[in-house]
Amino acid sequence: MSKIFGYELRRLLWNKLFFGVLLVILGYGWLTLTGSVIQGVANTAPFSPWSFGYYLSQTMPLICLGELFFLAFFSLKEERLLQPLTQATPVKERPYMVLRYGAVLTAIAILCLCVVALAIAFYVSLFGWMNYGELILPALLTLIPPVLFCLGAGLVLSRLHPVLLYALMAAVLLLSLLPLPSVVSFSLGSFFSQFPLTLSTLDPAFHIPCWLAASKIFLAILGLFLTILAIGMRKEKVEFLKAHNVSGKKGTEQI
Amino acid sequence: MSILRQFRLELTRLVQSRLTWLAILLTIISPIVGLTVYHPLLSVSESGYATTMQGMDLANPALAGGVLGAVIFAILTVLSMDRLRRDGMEALFHAVVSPMTASLTQLGALLFLSVLTQLIAMLVWLPYTMFKLGAVFDAESYFLIYVIFMYGAIPLAILFVSAAHQFSRRTDVSLILFAAFAALSLTVWSNRWQLCWLNPCVLAISDDFSNDRILRSVAYMRLSWLLALAGLWCLSYLGVRRYGKGLFASLRHNVRRFYRLVLVLLLAVCAAFTYAKQPFLDHSEAQPDYNFLFASEYQEAVFCDFWSAKVRPKPSSGRLEGTAMYQLLNLSGEEQRIELRLNPGYQVQAVRANGADVPFSLKMREVMNQRGLTVTLPADENIELVIDYGGYPREWNSEGGAVQGDMEISDTYMALENAMLAPRLYDVLQAGETLPVTVEITLPDQMIPVPFGTEEAELLDQKPDGSNIWRVEGDGGSVILYVGDYVREDIPIESAGLTIQFYYARKHQPLMEEADTAGAIRKVVEYCTEHIGPLVFYDGSVFKLIEKRSSSSGYAGYGASLANEVDFTAQNMDDAAKGGTPEEVMIHELVHQWWGLGNMFPPEWEDGLWSSEGLTCYTTYRIVKEFYGEETAHRAYVERWQAELADYNDNFYVRNPEYLSLLPEQYQANIVGSLRTVRQYSEMPLKLIKAEELVGGEEAMDEILFSLFNRELDPEYPYLTYRDFLDACNLTEEDLNIE
């Protein structure tokens, strides 16, 4: 199984889509760092957990879009046509799906690490700052719940119809850009830039209110639930004949 | 199949698609977003969105239409280009039509359709705009604003997405690249005028005067991008897949026709050239250097008796040509090198001393929108130095180009200020007590020049071609002229013993009369005269209030004050219920007639806390308090100042200045700039309010300010210092510390 996982991961990583997404995210991340983060978010240092969280919040929608594009990669017509072949192998459907989604998660983890590495390189080169431990909590809070949610929601929607993935992308962008309350907002940008200002101290230590922790835990659990649901759905829906008919029907239309 | 026939078929196919009609419909209605939620133009009011009428009902919808239209046509383009592959018809189709021809005709059809959509949109929105703008509407502005602001973005989006699709042959990759390209423009490039291709940097649009400069600037930016993206598209055209080959194999095949590659290179070079050689903004250094503007050491043996300039603005091109003459006295008996300052956009054609050409050089260094000119003078004692100069004036790049339009030269408005009007002597002192100056300017028939100061313009000659020559005589090293189709209304203020000459655009006359602007001005002047004192600085008991284009805020000087036209829009005039804030700029600039004239505050305090702005902001607050009530004034001024000061004091770099030195120069300059602005405009007024409490209230403070304003001036040092103020209040600096 590890060989199949390695193969699926290599298909995702050694792909112009991955490099395109990585390039766009790093480019946007760099502009965010040199544009707003360098000034210090909410009057804190540019290298504070709040500024770092803000930076991740700005890049997070692009990371989620990248994740959804990776899922869309598995929904391409060519991929659907290949399904009869993969289903003909002795590998069981469900573990195979889990492996594939694991590969997507690994690719996203690599994207996230690149984004974090960019910020750390920026901090070290400009400020000589190296207290990385402070950055773990904002990174976990900012990245994991939306990534899990997009995985689950993307899988369920792509099972219903692949085009719905693009609708989800639009929804991710809207939920990130609209000025929604932090409890429902997809991006935590406004939380990181506003919440420290409501605290009575300057340079407050990083902490999150309970309601926000609860909402993010709920989002992560919802994402996991939807992922499990989608894996369950997959076995019932995909059938050799159906996939074959899809290609046959299209072929008839063309003629 | 011929290209034209294929183009017609492609267009027919597009028009028959329901998706195309949906895209057309959405693009046509997209300007509605600019009327409702998307307001890219700057608001001049704190209490609500306010800009000029053309800005509100024409520029905002056009800019919103540009953003949405570009997105809609990008999606239409990618779906249209992917159609053959999606339907599995690609191989069959390309057996009949060459992929290269198909690519070209697809692009042509989409561009043609976008032009058609734009024309329909302009026709649809015409009645609404005419109705809303009323007397302010003019067809040329309507056409240009819609074409440049809205349509300018759409072909760029089509070219970009089409190129991305030709490279990647993937809908998702093309869309994500377009999303990134659009996001860059909307976020990090939004204040960089040459890069924000989707949402151009437009601060304001004038109702009463022309908008030539900002329209040219946006059109130029879009032209640069058009060349760059056309180059990108041509490059992607070389990558159109042939005979089932991949990108690089197809590229090798397509590049055999050498002219295609030449075209790509030519477009790339043109794009780079237009980007680098833009004529609108200068290349001033980020850090201001006042020593570059004002010499600390002057020539010891060279003096100027008088100077004059003959200026010929070219309204059709926005350029200016002129000849300046300086009568100099060289007492050294040797050659001398003197320096002048002029606008960085101007070139010097010739410099002659007593009729003979003399060496000169234009410096590369540009600081605060000025550039140096060095001239070598002959050893003669009396020298008539003549300089022929001209060009397209460049504006200061201080905000990355986000603020443009100040240096308008058109047939309805010209702002000819200092070194933009004529080269200014830098290190040469005047020979006598004064430095007489004469400026002759040739203007179109309907325009009159208004000198910024106490000088008057005199009509010298009327030419057969309808142009007039005006003469302005004055005194000083530089001259400022505002030129326009102005109406002059004299407002006598009996209590102040002076008359205000109010110059405003003829186009705005009905609104001015209806809103009784003259009455509002009278109230402000009467208040200041009663509480601060009469304007004793003006011998003639006259000063001018001049309406200026809505590109930036106004300022005040000897005998004159500028007010932004936005202060006089119908929307602002009807907005008195908001508590006076919309008129803040007008009141503020008028108050500068009392606090802020050059001889009032020591120039060495320019970068510090004490400046004319503190007392001006405080007096503005008091006027608003008197007219609109304490609660309104407190909310609009005191609370804002407190919030700004608190935010500033909490700033990380203010608390930890050691980190400031680690930042790149540009960011350091921004932080230092904000330090100066907040201290002068927010901290100082708060200190003055504290002083008012400590001295016993408003009446006591008024008495102190009255006595300071009307004190006997020391001719050697006529400045009002912070020490003077503290002594008059019997307070120390520590007493006024803000907790």
Side-chain angles (χ1 to χ4, degrees):
Chain A
M1 292 298 270
S2 63
K3 201 178 239 179
I4 298 173
F5 175 76
Y7 170 73
E8 290 292 343
L9 187 60
R10 200 171 63 191
R11 284 182 68 208
L12 271 180
L13 298 186
W14 197 245
N15 186 314
K16 58 188 172 189
L17 177 67
F18 179 81
F19 285 107
V21 169
L22 180 65
L23 198 68
V24 168
I25 291 175
L26 289 184
Y28 186 72
W30 177 255
L31 293 168
T32 307
L33 284 170
T34 53
S36 45
V37 173
I38 197 172
Q39 295 174 29
V41 173
N43 293 326
T44 64
F47 42 80
S48 72
W50 303 101
S51 297
F52 179 69
Y54 177 82
Y55 157 71
L56 290 180
S57 300
Q58 295 300 106
T59 49
M60 185 274 297
L62 290 180
I63 293 173
C64 289
L65 285 187
E67 185 181 19
L68 294 173
F69 272 114
F70 293 156
L71 293 178
F73 178 72
F74 289 133
S75 308
L76 290 176
K77 197 171 105 182
E78 291 86 342
E79 287 293 316
R80 291 206 305 275
L81 292 173
L82 277 176
Q83 278 183 7
L85 291 178
T86 54
Q87 286 181 336
T89 62
V91 180
K92 287 182 181 172
E93 172 77 10
R94 193 171 294 179
Y96 178 60
M97 289 298 124
V98 173
L99 278 182
R100 274 190 147 187
Y101 303 148
V104 170
L105 275 180
T106 309
I108 289 300
I110 291 171
L111 274 183
C112 293
L113 284 176
C114 289
V115 170
V116 171
L118 177 72
I120 290 174
F122 177 77
Y123 291 152
V124 172
S125 64
L126 210 56
F127 301 103
W129 182 88
M130 284 180 273
N131 190 6
Y132 312 128
E134 284 186 357
L135 308 183
I136 293 172
L137 190 56
L140 295 177
L141 178 78
T142 310
L143 296 175
I144 289 182
V147 164
L148 285 178
F149 174 77
C150 282
L151 179 72
L155 288 174
V156 169
L157 291 175
S158 68
R159 282 297 301 114
L160 298 174
H161 197 289
V163 172
L164 290 176
L165 273 176
Y166 295 98
L168 182 59
M169 289 179 200
V172 165
L173 277 181
L174 272 179
L175 286 172
S176 305
L177 294 174
L178 289 177
L180 298 171
S182 296
V183 70
V184 289
S185 177
F186 205 64
S187 163
L188 289 177
S190 61
F191 169 74
F192 287 116
S193 61
Q194 298 300 321
F195 183 68
L197 298 175
T198 63
L199 304 172
S200 53
T201 56
L202 287 169
D203 298 323
F206 185 75
H207 70 277
I208 51 169
C210 294
W211 55 265
L212 186 69
S215 74
K216 291 297 155 187
I217 290 169
F218 172 75
L219 192 67
I221 291 172
L222 182 64
L224 282 174
F225 171 74
L226 289 172
T227 307
I228 293 164
L229 182 72
I231 291 168
M233 286 165 74
R234 172 66 66 171
K235 193 179 178 185
E236 293 167 16
K237 295 280 179 181
V238 178
E239 292 167 12
F240 173 80
L241 282 176
K242 188 169 182 187
H244 182 261
N245 285 343
V246 167
S247 60
K249 191 181 170 193
K250 285 278 179 186
T252 310
E253 279 179 354
Q254 287 164 21
I255 292 164
Chain B
M1 193 182 290
S2 75
I3 288 186
L4 275 180
R5 180 150 185 267
Q6 174 57 24
F7 170 76
R8 207 178 64 239
L9 288 173
E10 182 64 28
L11 191 63
T12 310
R13 186 196 63 74
L14 265 178
V15 171
Q16 285 173 347
S17 163
R18 275 179 299 181
L19 191 70
T20 304
W21 286 105
L22 179 66
I24 291 175
L25 184 69
L26 288 175
T27 306
I28 290 170
I29 61 171
S30 61
I32 205 165
V33 176
L35 292 171
T36 49
V37 292
Y38 179 63
H39 295 138
L41 265 60
L42 189 75
S43 173
V44 292
S45 169
E46 297 268 333
S47 55
Y49 187 76
T51 183
T52 57
M53 291 162 74
Q54 286 212 102
M56 190 74 84
D57 295 311
L58 178 55
N60 273 340
L63 288 165
V67 174
L68 292 175
V71 173
I72 292 163
F73 265 86
I75 294 169
L76 180 68
T77 301
V78 82
L79 292 177
S80 171
M81 295 197 74
D82 200 50
R83 181 185 57 90
L84 286 173
R85 223 163 74 89
R86 207 169 50 240
D87 294 345
M89 294 287 286
E90 202 172 33
L92 194 63
F93 183 77
H94 287 161
V96 183
V97 180
S98 151
M100 306 292 278
T101 308
S103 162
L104 206 59
T105 50
Q106 262 181 344
L107 179 72
L110 283 161
L111 288 174
F112 183 83
L113 200 71
S114 67
V115 172
L116 209 65
T117 307
Q118 181 66 35
L119 289 174
I120 298 170
M122 285 163 68
L123 282 175
V124 167
W125 284 95
L126 182 64
Y128 170 83
T129 314
M130 285 176 76
F131 172 73
K132 289 294 282 185
L133 295 187
V136 171
F137 177 85
D138 80 272
E140 188 186 348
S141 294
Y142 179 82
F143 177 78
L144 288 174
I145 285 174
Y146 258 106
V147 168
I148 295 172
F149 287 1
M150 181 174 172
Y151 184 67
I154 295 174
L156 302 183
I158 293 173
L159 281 170
F160 181 86
V161 171
S162 176
H165 192 269
Q166 284 182 164
F167 276 127
S168 67
R169 291 169 61 79
R170 289 269 292 272
T171 307
D172 51 1
V173 172
S174 307
L175 284 177
I176 198 169
L177 286 175
F178 177 76
F181 188 45
L184 277 175
S185 177
L186 291 165
T187 55
V188 287
W189 288 346
S190 62
N191 285 323
R192 299 177 66 181
W193 77 278
Q194 280 185 284
L195 295 179
C196 51
W197 67 274
L198 188 58
N199 49 317
C201 290
V202 184
L203 196 71
I205 286 294
S206 174
D207 284 343
D208 296 341
F209 306 107
S210 58
N211 296 291
D212 292 2
R213 202 165 167 109
I214 190 68
L215 288 170
R216 282 192 190 118
S217 160
V218 176
Y220 187 91
M221 177 271 287
R222 293 238 155 106
L223 175 71
S224 298
W225 273 110
L226 190 67
L227 289 168
L229 294 175
L232 183 74
W233 189 87
C234 288
L235 187 65
S236 74
Y237 183 66
L238 293 176
V240 169
R241 309 301 192 271
R242 307 291 299 272
Y243 312 118
K245 293 178 179 173
L247 174 64
F248 293 106
S250 301
L251 197 69
R252 271 199 304 276
H253 183 274
N254 293 332
V255 91
R256 284 178 193 165
R257 294 198 177 176
F258 192 63
Y259 67 89
R260 290 173 179 163
L261 194 59
V262 172
L263 184 63
V264 170
L265 293 174
L266 193 68
L267 286 166
V269 168
C270 287
F273 182 81
T274 53
Y275 182 85
K277 295 288 178 186
Q278 56 80 18
F280 298 95
L281 261 77
D282 67 4
H283 301 96
S284 288
E285 296 167 358
Q287 288 281 11
D289 179 2
Y290 289 95
N291 287 331
F292 187 84
L293 293 195
F294 308 107
S296 51
E297 290 181 8
Y298 290 87
Q299 296 281 341
E300 291 177 355
V302 181
F303 300 94
C304 182
D305 267 336
F306 67 91
W307 69 283
S308 65
K310 290 184 176 174
V311 184
R312 299 172 296 281
K314 307 287 178 195
S316 58
S317 62
R319 295 168 64 85
L320 179 143
E321 289 173 3
T323 303
M325 192 280 288
Y326 307 85
Q327 190 62 50
L328 301 174
L329 207 59
N330 181 359
L331 302 176
S332 66
E334 297 171 355
E335 283 191 350
Q336 292 289 335
R337 291 178 70 182
I338 63 164
E339 283 201 40
L340 297 98
R341 296 286 181 263
L342 75 167
N343 183 280
Y346 292 159
Q347 295 298 319
V348 174
Q349 283 83 37
V351 180
R352 296 179 296 281
N354 294 333
D357 286 345
V358 292
F360 69 92
S361 65
L362 268 172
K363 303 293 180 193
M364 294 301 291
R365 189 177 178 221
E366 296 173 15
V367 177
M368 299 170 81
N369 199 225
Q370 296 202 15
R371 185 182 185 188
L373 167 67
T374 305
V375 175
T376 305
L377 298 178
D380 305 357
E381 185 175 349
N382 290 302
I383 300 169
E384 187 184 85
L385 184 73
V386 177
I387 300 175
D388 293 330
Y389 64 97
Y392 192 73
R394 289 188 180 192
E395 294 183 48
W396 193 0
N397 63 355
S398 58
E399 302 281 338
V403 182
Q404 288 189 56
D406 265 348
M407 295 189 173
E408 184 87 359
I409 295 181
S410 74
D411 56 7
T412 55
Y413 183 78
M414 297 177 196
L416 308 171
E417 298 164 344
N418 303 316
M420 186 192 161
L421 183 76
R424 179 176 65 81
L425 288 169
Y426 171 71
D427 58 355
V428 177
L429 287 171
Q430 62 205 42
E433 287 197 355
T434 60
L435 180 58
V437 50
T438 304
V439 174
E440 287 182 17
I441 184 167
T442 308
L443 297 172
D445 182 33
Q446 75 281 8
M447 301 182 86
I448 60 165
V450 183
F452 188 79
T454 51
E455 303 88 0
E456 292 291 336
E458 169 197 358
L459 183 60
L460 204 66
D461 191 17
Q462 288 181 307
K463 286 186 169 181
D465 64 359
S467 60
N468 297 330
I469 299 178
W470 294 79
R471 180 160 64 192
V472 176
E473 290 185 348
D475 168 36
S478 59
V479 172
I480 299 174
L481 287 181
Y482 292 94
V483 182
D485 184 9
Y486 281 120
V487 171
R488 174 176 144 182
E489 184 174 347
D490 287 352
I491 307 170
I493 314 283
E494 288 82 10
S495 60
L498 59 85
T499 300
I500 294 174
Q501 293 175 354
F502 183 30
Y503 289 90
Y504 57 87
R506 191 174 304 280
K507 207 172 174 181
H508 218 84
Q509 192 169 11
L511 264 175
M512 291 291 193
E513 287 169 357
E514 186 185 339
D516 190 25
T517 311
I521 292 168
R522 183 180 290 114
K523 272 199 291 192
V524 173
V525 176
E526 281 175 349
Y527 176 92
C528 288
T529 306
E530 183 189 337
H531 290 79
I532 304 172
L535 283 168
V536 293
F537 298 104
Y538 310 113
D539 295 335
S541 300
V542 164
F543 82 80
K544 299 167 188 163
L545 178 64
I546 308 165
E547 183 192 3
K548 76 182 285 280
R549 248 194 109 252
S550 60
S551 48
S552 58
S553 57
Y555 63 94
Y558 286 103
S561 175
L562 289 185
N564 194 315
E565 66 169 292
V566 179
D567 302 329
F568 306 117
T569 61
Q571 185 192 12
N572 272 359
M573 301 292 188
D574 293 339
D575 207 16
K578 291 180 185 172
T581 306
E583 293 94 9
E584 178 184 359
V585 177
M586 187 183 74
I587 296 173
H588 184 100
E589 300 307 341
L590 275 172
V591 174
H592 265 310
Q593 290 296 320
W594 280 260
W595 308 119
L597 295 174
N599 66 347
M600 287 293 290
F601 290 79
E604 63 266 32
W605 284 86
E606 187 76 25
D607 289 344
L609 179 66
W610 180 251
S611 76
S612 61
E613 297 302 339
L615 277 170
T616 303
C617 288
Y618 169 76
T619 308
T620 307
Y621 152 74
R622 289 282 306 278
I623 292 171
V624 171
K625 190 176 175 183
E626 170 123 340
F627 290 164
Y628 301 108
E630 185 167 359
E631 193 186 337
T632 302
H634 194 268
R635 194 178 59 243
Y637 292 88
V638 180
E639 288 179 11
R640 178 160 57 86
W641 293 333
Q642 286 170 339
E644 284 170 358
L645 184 62
D647 191 52
Y648 169 75
N649 285 331
D650 289 348
N651 183 282
F652 173 74
Y653 292 107
V654 173
R655 291 182 289 121
N656 305 281
E658 66 274 15
Y659 284 103
L660 191 64
S661 58
L662 298 173
L663 291 181
E665 190 184 330
Q666 179 65 46
Y667 298 105
Q668 285 189 40
N670 288 344
I671 299 284
V672 171
S674 70
L675 171 103
R676 189 169 49 237
T677 306
V678 175
R679 295 202 80 195
Q680 291 180 349
Y681 285 82
S682 301
E683 186 179 354
M684 195 64 226
L686 288 173
K687 283 177 181 287
L688 293 169
I689 289 177
K690 189 170 183 185
E692 175 194 296
E693 290 167 6
L694 293 174
V695 297
E698 289 179 354
E699 280 188 25
M701 187 68 167
D702 285 346
E703 280 176 25
I704 291 168
L705 293 181
F706 192 93
S707 66
L708 284 171
F709 184 78
N710 297 288
R711 75 195 188 285
E712 193 169 332
L713 292 179
D714 174 5
E716 294 292 313
Y717 196 81
Y719 306 119
L720 177 62
T721 66
Y722 195 28
R723 175 55 45 200
D724 293 336
F725 171 76
L726 290 171
D727 289 346
C729 295
N730 203 18
L731 295 169
T732 63
E733 282 191 42
E734 290 70 30
D735 291 333
L736 298 185
N737 283 345
I738 308 287
E739 297 302 324

